[in-house]
Amino acid sequence: TPQTYSKGSVLQVSTRDLVAIKGLTEAKIEKIKEAAKKLDCRGGLFKTGLEMKEKRRTVIKITTGSTAFDKILGGGVETGSITELF
């Protein structure tokens, strides 16, 4: 049975899975995914794993001044995010 994809699901399905669809090449899939990103209601907020990995490289950890607390936080408080403590 044919499978239907929404613009959001096209962004989530791997290129390898989409290539299995007759008539789709990797080049066509990349064009489709770029169009889906532009139409996505999340305003382009969807990021691939590779894009997120690249973004994570810029994260800096700021020390709290406490070695033990920094260890609990995995090296300190991360930049680019909100950290709440209770």
PDB file of all heavy atoms in Angstrom, residues 58-86:
ATOM      1  N   THR A  58      29.320  24.514  19.631  1.00  0.00           N
ATOM      2  CA  THR A  58      29.525  25.894  20.078  1.00  0.00           C
ATOM      3  C   THR A  58      29.122  26.109  21.534  1.00  0.00           C
ATOM      4  O   THR A  58      29.300  27.214  22.054  1.00  0.00           O
ATOM      5  CB  THR A  58      28.738  26.879  19.191  1.00  0.00           C
ATOM      6  OG1 THR A  58      27.345  26.628  19.344  1.00  0.00           O
ATOM      7  CG2 THR A  58      29.141  26.757  17.735  1.00  0.00           C
ATOM      8  N   VAL A  59      28.591  25.084  22.186  1.00  0.00           N
ATOM      9  CA  VAL A  59      28.143  25.213  23.573  1.00  0.00           C
ATOM     10  C   VAL A  59      29.361  25.311  24.492  1.00  0.00           C
ATOM     11  O   VAL A  59      30.300  24.532  24.391  1.00  0.00           O
ATOM     12  CB  VAL A  59      27.255  24.012  23.979  1.00  0.00           C
ATOM     13  CG1 VAL A  59      26.958  24.041  25.471  1.00  0.00           C
ATOM     14  CG2 VAL A  59      25.963  24.024  23.190  1.00  0.00           C
ATOM     15  N   ILE A  60      29.322  26.290  25.370  1.00  0.00           N
ATOM     16  CA  ILE A  60      30.381  26.488  26.356  1.00  0.00           C
ATOM     17  C   ILE A  60      29.787  26.198  27.725  1.00  0.00           C
ATOM     18  O   ILE A  60      28.632  26.526  27.998  1.00  0.00           O
ATOM     19  CB  ILE A  60      30.899  27.945  26.304  1.00  0.00           C
ATOM     20  CG1 ILE A  60      31.485  28.240  24.929  1.00  0.00           C
ATOM     21  CG2 ILE A  60      31.915  28.201  27.397  1.00  0.00           C
ATOM     22  CD1 ILE A  60      31.767  29.713  24.700  1.00  0.00           C
ATOM     23  N   LYS A  61      30.565  25.601  28.589  1.00  0.00           N
ATOM     24  CA  LYS A  61      30.105  25.336  29.957  1.00  0.00           C
ATOM     25  C   LYS A  61      30.763  26.332  30.899  1.00  0.00           C
ATOM     26  O   LYS A  61      31.977  26.502  30.889  1.00  0.00           O
ATOM     27  CB  LYS A  61      30.422  23.907  30.349  1.00  0.00           C
ATOM     28  CG  LYS A  61      29.708  22.925  29.429  1.00  0.00           C
ATOM     29  CD  LYS A  61      29.464  21.628  30.082  1.00  0.00           C
ATOM     30  CE  LYS A  61      28.673  20.759  29.112  1.00  0.00           C
ATOM     31  NZ  LYS A  61      28.183  19.589  29.706  1.00  0.00           N
ATOM     32  N   ILE A  62      29.931  27.000  31.672  1.00  0.00           N
ATOM     33  CA  ILE A  62      30.402  28.017  32.613  1.00  0.00           C
ATOM     34  C   ILE A  62      30.420  27.404  34.006  1.00  0.00           C
ATOM     35  O   ILE A  62      29.423  26.822  34.450  1.00  0.00           O
ATOM     36  CB  ILE A  62      29.477  29.255  32.586  1.00  0.00           C
ATOM     37  CG1 ILE A  62      29.435  29.848  31.178  1.00  0.00           C
ATOM     38  CG2 ILE A  62      29.929  30.288  33.607  1.00  0.00           C
ATOM     39  CD1 ILE A  62      28.369  30.909  30.997  1.00  0.00           C
ATOM     40  N   THR A  63      31.530  27.546  34.690  1.00  0.00           N
ATOM     41  CA  THR A  63      31.655  26.969  36.021  1.00  0.00           C
ATOM     42  C   THR A  63      30.751  27.685  37.020  1.00  0.00           C
ATOM     43  O   THR A  63      30.476  28.879  36.885  1.00  0.00           O
ATOM     44  CB  THR A  63      33.115  27.008  36.513  1.00  0.00           C
ATOM     45  OG1 THR A  63      33.179  26.382  37.802  1.00  0.00           O
ATOM     46  CG2 THR A  63      33.640  28.420  36.619  1.00  0.00           C
ATOM     47  N   THR A  64      30.310  26.924  38.004  1.00  0.00           N
ATOM     48  CA  THR A  64      29.497  27.501  39.083  1.00  0.00           C
ATOM     49  C   THR A  64      30.376  27.947  40.241  1.00  0.00           C
ATOM     50  O   THR A  64      29.905  28.589  41.162  1.00  0.00           O
ATOM     51  CB  THR A  64      28.488  26.459  39.607  1.00  0.00           C
ATOM     52  OG1 THR A  64      29.222  25.352  40.158  1.00  0.00           O
ATOM     53  CG2 THR A  64      27.557  25.984  38.525  1.00  0.00           C
ATOM     54  N   GLY A  65      31.645  27.568  40.185  1.00  0.00           N
ATOM     55  CA  GLY A  65      32.552  27.870  41.298  1.00  0.00           C
ATOM     56  C   GLY A  65      32.672  26.703  42.263  1.00  0.00           C
ATOM     57  O   GLY A  65      33.500  26.718  43.163  1.00  0.00           O
ATOM     58  N   SER A  66      31.839  25.686  42.075  1.00  0.00           N
ATOM     59  CA  SER A  66      31.872  24.499  42.922  1.00  0.00           C
ATOM     60  C   SER A  66      32.213  23.288  42.052  1.00  0.00           C
ATOM     61  O   SER A  66      31.439  22.919  41.167  1.00  0.00           O
ATOM     62  CB  SER A  66      30.512  24.283  43.591  1.00  0.00           C
ATOM     63  OG  SER A  66      30.436  22.986  44.158  1.00  0.00           O
ATOM     64  N   THR A  67      33.364  22.672  42.316  1.00  0.00           N
ATOM     65  CA  THR A  67      33.797  21.511  41.535  1.00  0.00           C
ATOM     66  C   THR A  67      32.774  20.381  41.605  1.00  0.00           C
ATOM     67  O   THR A  67      32.454  19.760  40.589  1.00  0.00           O
ATOM     68  CB  THR A  67      35.173  21.013  42.035  1.00  0.00           C
ATOM     69  OG1 THR A  67      36.082  22.105  42.029  1.00  0.00           O
ATOM     70  CG2 THR A  67      35.716  19.918  41.150  1.00  0.00           C
ATOM     71  N   ALA A  68      32.235  20.132  42.791  1.00  0.00           N
ATOM     72  CA  ALA A  68      31.264  19.050  42.965  1.00  0.00           C
ATOM     73  C   ALA A  68      29.979  19.332  42.184  1.00  0.00           C
ATOM     74  O   ALA A  68      29.432  18.434  41.525  1.00  0.00           O
ATOM     75  CB  ALA A  68      30.956  18.864  44.447  1.00  0.00           C
ATOM     76  N   PHE A  69      29.509  20.579  42.249  1.00  0.00           N
ATOM     77  CA  PHE A  69      28.278  20.941  41.543  1.00  0.00           C
ATOM     78  C   PHE A  69      28.499  20.917  40.025  1.00  0.00           C
ATOM     79  O   PHE A  69      27.651  20.449  39.270  1.00  0.00           O
ATOM     80  CB  PHE A  69      27.788  22.316  42.014  1.00  0.00           C
ATOM     81  CG  PHE A  69      26.383  22.640  41.605  1.00  0.00           C
ATOM     82  CD1 PHE A  69      25.370  21.693  41.680  1.00  0.00           C
ATOM     83  CD2 PHE A  69      26.063  23.907  41.147  1.00  0.00           C
ATOM     84  CE1 PHE A  69      24.077  21.998  41.300  1.00  0.00           C
ATOM     85  CE2 PHE A  69      24.761  24.221  40.766  1.00  0.00           C
ATOM     86  CZ  PHE A  69      23.769  23.268  40.842  1.00  0.00           C
ATOM     87  N   ASP A  70      29.658  21.411  39.577  1.00  0.00           N
ATOM     88  CA  ASP A  70      29.986  21.356  38.147  1.00  0.00           C
ATOM     89  C   ASP A  70      29.989  19.908  37.647  1.00  0.00           C
ATOM     90  O   ASP A  70      29.533  19.630  36.541  1.00  0.00           O
ATOM     91  CB  ASP A  70      31.343  22.001  37.865  1.00  0.00           C
ATOM     92  CG  ASP A  70      31.306  23.518  37.953  1.00  0.00           C
ATOM     93  OD1 ASP A  70      30.196  24.089  37.965  1.00  0.00           O
ATOM     94  OD2 ASP A  70      32.392  24.119  38.005  1.00  0.00           O
ATOM     95  N   LYS A  71      30.491  19.002  38.482  1.00  0.00           N
ATOM     96  CA  LYS A  71      30.522  17.585  38.104  1.00  0.00           C
ATOM     97  C   LYS A  71      29.103  17.042  37.939  1.00  0.00           C
ATOM     98  O   LYS A  71      28.810  16.322  36.992  1.00  0.00           O
ATOM     99  CB  LYS A  71      31.279  16.778  39.162  1.00  0.00           C
ATOM    100  CG  LYS A  71      31.500  15.340  38.789  1.00  0.00           C
ATOM    101  CD  LYS A  71      32.353  14.625  39.813  1.00  0.00           C
ATOM    102  CE  LYS A  71      32.538  13.173  39.408  1.00  0.00           C
ATOM    103  NZ  LYS A  71      33.348  12.454  40.391  1.00  0.00           N
ATOM    104  N   ILE A  72      28.197  17.418  38.820  1.00  0.00           N
ATOM    105  CA  ILE A  72      26.790  16.992  38.727  1.00  0.00           C
ATOM    106  C   ILE A  72      26.168  17.516  37.431  1.00  0.00           C
ATOM    107  O   ILE A  72      25.406  16.819  36.765  1.00  0.00           O
ATOM    108  CB  ILE A  72      25.983  17.487  39.954  1.00  0.00           C
ATOM    109  CG1 ILE A  72      26.437  16.763  41.216  1.00  0.00           C
ATOM    110  CG2 ILE A  72      24.477  17.298  39.731  1.00  0.00           C
ATOM    111  CD1 ILE A  72      25.885  17.356  42.506  1.00  0.00           C
ATOM    112  N   LEU A  73      26.516  18.749  37.059  1.00  0.00           N
ATOM    113  CA  LEU A  73      25.969  19.371  35.847  1.00  0.00           C
ATOM    114  C   LEU A  73      26.703  18.939  34.579  1.00  0.00           C
ATOM    115  O   LEU A  73      26.375  19.383  33.487  1.00  0.00           O
ATOM    116  CB  LEU A  73      26.032  20.899  35.963  1.00  0.00           C
ATOM    117  CG  LEU A  73      25.157  21.531  37.038  1.00  0.00           C
ATOM    118  CD1 LEU A  73      25.449  23.018  37.146  1.00  0.00           C
ATOM    119  CD2 LEU A  73      23.690  21.286  36.753  1.00  0.00           C
ATOM    120  N   GLY A  74      27.688  18.069  34.713  1.00  0.00           N
ATOM    121  CA  GLY A  74      28.416  17.599  33.540  1.00  0.00           C
ATOM    122  C   GLY A  74      29.442  18.597  33.046  1.00  0.00           C
ATOM    123  O   GLY A  74      29.726  18.659  31.855  1.00  0.00           O
ATOM    124  N   GLY A  75      29.992  19.395  33.960  1.00  0.00           N
ATOM    125  CA  GLY A  75      31.041  20.339  33.580  1.00  0.00           C
ATOM    126  C   GLY A  75      30.687  21.790  33.811  1.00  0.00           C
ATOM    127  O   GLY A  75      31.504  22.669  33.587  1.00  0.00           O
ATOM    128  N   GLY A  76      29.490  22.081  34.216  1.00  0.00           N
ATOM    129  CA  GLY A  76      29.059  23.459  34.464  1.00  0.00           C
ATOM    130  C   GLY A  76      27.729  23.748  33.790  1.00  0.00           C
ATOM    131  O   GLY A  76      27.080  22.868  33.255  1.00  0.00           O
ATOM    132  N   VAL A  77      27.341  24.996  33.814  1.00  0.00           N
ATOM    133  CA  VAL A  77      26.078  25.440  33.215  1.00  0.00           C
ATOM    134  C   VAL A  77      26.327  25.721  31.725  1.00  0.00           C
ATOM    135  O   VAL A  77      27.273  26.420  31.382  1.00  0.00           O
ATOM    136  CB  VAL A  77      25.564  26.719  33.919  1.00  0.00           C
ATOM    137  CG1 VAL A  77      24.275  27.192  33.282  1.00  0.00           C
ATOM    138  CG2 VAL A  77      25.363  26.466  35.400  1.00  0.00           C
ATOM    139  N   GLU A  78      25.497  25.150  30.866  1.00  0.00           N
ATOM    140  CA  GLU A  78      25.668  25.327  29.423  1.00  0.00           C
ATOM    141  C   GLU A  78      25.142  26.674  28.961  1.00  0.00           C
ATOM    142  O   GLU A  78      24.114  27.137  29.416  1.00  0.00           O
ATOM    143  CB  GLU A  78      24.919  24.231  28.659  1.00  0.00           C
ATOM    144  CG  GLU A  78      25.511  22.863  28.813  1.00  0.00           C
ATOM    145  CD  GLU A  78      24.820  21.827  27.925  1.00  0.00           C
ATOM    146  OE1 GLU A  78      23.797  22.141  27.286  1.00  0.00           O
ATOM    147  OE2 GLU A  78      25.318  20.698  27.887  1.00  0.00           O
ATOM    148  N   THR A  79      25.864  27.266  28.010  1.00  0.00           N
ATOM    149  CA  THR A  79      25.387  28.491  27.373  1.00  0.00           C
ATOM    150  C   THR A  79      24.344  28.116  26.338  1.00  0.00           C
ATOM    151  O   THR A  79      24.285  26.980  25.875  1.00  0.00           O
ATOM    152  CB  THR A  79      26.532  29.238  26.667  1.00  0.00           C
ATOM    153  OG1 THR A  79      27.114  28.374  25.693  1.00  0.00           O
ATOM    154  CG2 THR A  79      27.587  29.676  27.651  1.00  0.00           C
ATOM    155  N   GLY A  80      23.477  29.057  25.988  1.00  0.00           N
ATOM    156  CA  GLY A  80      22.466  28.819  24.958  1.00  0.00           C
ATOM    157  C   GLY A  80      21.265  28.036  25.451  1.00  0.00           C
ATOM    158  O   GLY A  80      20.464  27.566  24.655  1.00  0.00           O
ATOM    159  N   SER A  81      21.121  27.883  26.759  1.00  0.00           N
ATOM    160  CA  SER A  81      19.966  27.178  27.285  1.00  0.00           C
ATOM    161  C   SER A  81      19.572  27.790  28.624  1.00  0.00           C
ATOM    162  O   SER A  81      20.323  28.576  29.208  1.00  0.00           O
ATOM    163  CB  SER A  81      20.282  25.686  27.467  1.00  0.00           C
ATOM    164  OG  SER A  81      21.309  25.514  28.399  1.00  0.00           O
ATOM    165  N   ILE A  82      18.420  27.408  29.111  1.00  0.00           N
ATOM    166  CA  ILE A  82      17.939  27.888  30.397  1.00  0.00           C
ATOM    167  C   ILE A  82      18.122  26.754  31.398  1.00  0.00           C
ATOM    168  O   ILE A  82      17.716  25.630  31.169  1.00  0.00           O
ATOM    169  CB  ILE A  82      16.447  28.284  30.317  1.00  0.00           C
ATOM    170  CG1 ILE A  82      16.274  29.446  29.335  1.00  0.00           C
ATOM    171  CG2 ILE A  82      15.913  28.635  31.705  1.00  0.00           C
ATOM    172  CD1 ILE A  82      14.837  29.798  29.059  1.00  0.00           C
ATOM    173  N   THR A  83      18.771  27.070  32.520  1.00  0.00           N
ATOM    174  CA  THR A  83      18.991  26.081  33.563  1.00  0.00           C
ATOM    175  C   THR A  83      18.257  26.544  34.803  1.00  0.00           C
ATOM    176  O   THR A  83      18.450  27.670  35.265  1.00  0.00           O
ATOM    177  CB  THR A  83      20.499  25.944  33.857  1.00  0.00           C
ATOM    178  OG1 THR A  83      21.176  25.596  32.658  1.00  0.00           O
ATOM    179  CG2 THR A  83      20.748  24.874  34.904  1.00  0.00           C
ATOM    180  N   GLU A  84      17.389  25.682  35.322  1.00  0.00           N
ATOM    181  CA  GLU A  84      16.648  26.005  36.528  1.00  0.00           C
ATOM    182  C   GLU A  84      17.130  25.128  37.667  1.00  0.00           C
ATOM    183  O   GLU A  84      17.340  23.935  37.489  1.00  0.00           O
ATOM    184  CB  GLU A  84      15.144  25.757  36.332  1.00  0.00           C
ATOM    185  CG  GLU A  84      14.503  26.708  35.342  1.00  0.00           C
ATOM    186  CD  GLU A  84      13.004  26.502  35.275  1.00  0.00           C
ATOM    187  OE1 GLU A  84      12.325  26.812  36.291  1.00  0.00           O
ATOM    188  OE2 GLU A  84      12.535  26.032  34.239  1.00  0.00           O
ATOM    189  N   LEU A  85      17.298  25.709  38.824  1.00  0.00           N
ATOM    190  CA  LEU A  85      17.723  24.981  40.015  1.00  0.00           C
ATOM    191  C   LEU A  85      16.686  25.189  41.109  1.00  0.00           C
ATOM    192  O   LEU A  85      16.196  26.297  41.302  1.00  0.00           O
ATOM    193  CB  LEU A  85      19.082  25.483  40.495  1.00  0.00           C
ATOM    194  CG  LEU A  85      20.206  25.437  39.457  1.00  0.00           C
ATOM    195  CD1 LEU A  85      21.419  26.163  39.972  1.00  0.00           C
ATOM    196  CD2 LEU A  85      20.533  24.001  39.101  1.00  0.00           C
ATOM    197  N   PHE A  86      16.367  24.122  41.813  1.00  0.00           N
ATOM    198  CA  PHE A  86      15.380  24.214  42.886  1.00  0.00           C
ATOM    199  C   PHE A  86      16.003  23.780  44.187  1.00  0.00           C
ATOM    200  O   PHE A  86      16.802  22.916  44.264  1.00  0.00           O
ATOM    201  CB  PHE A  86      14.172  23.317  42.602  1.00  0.00           C
ATOM    202  CG  PHE A  86      13.408  23.754  41.385  1.00  0.00           C
ATOM    203  CD1 PHE A  86      13.691  23.201  40.139  1.00  0.00           C
ATOM    204  CD2 PHE A  86      12.416  24.702  41.480  1.00  0.00           C
ATOM    205  CE1 PHE A  86      12.994  23.598  39.017  1.00  0.00           C
ATOM    206  CE2 PHE A  86      11.713  25.090  40.356  1.00  0.00           C
ATOM    207  CZ  PHE A  86      11.991  24.532  39.121  1.00  0.00           C
TER     208      PHE A  86
END
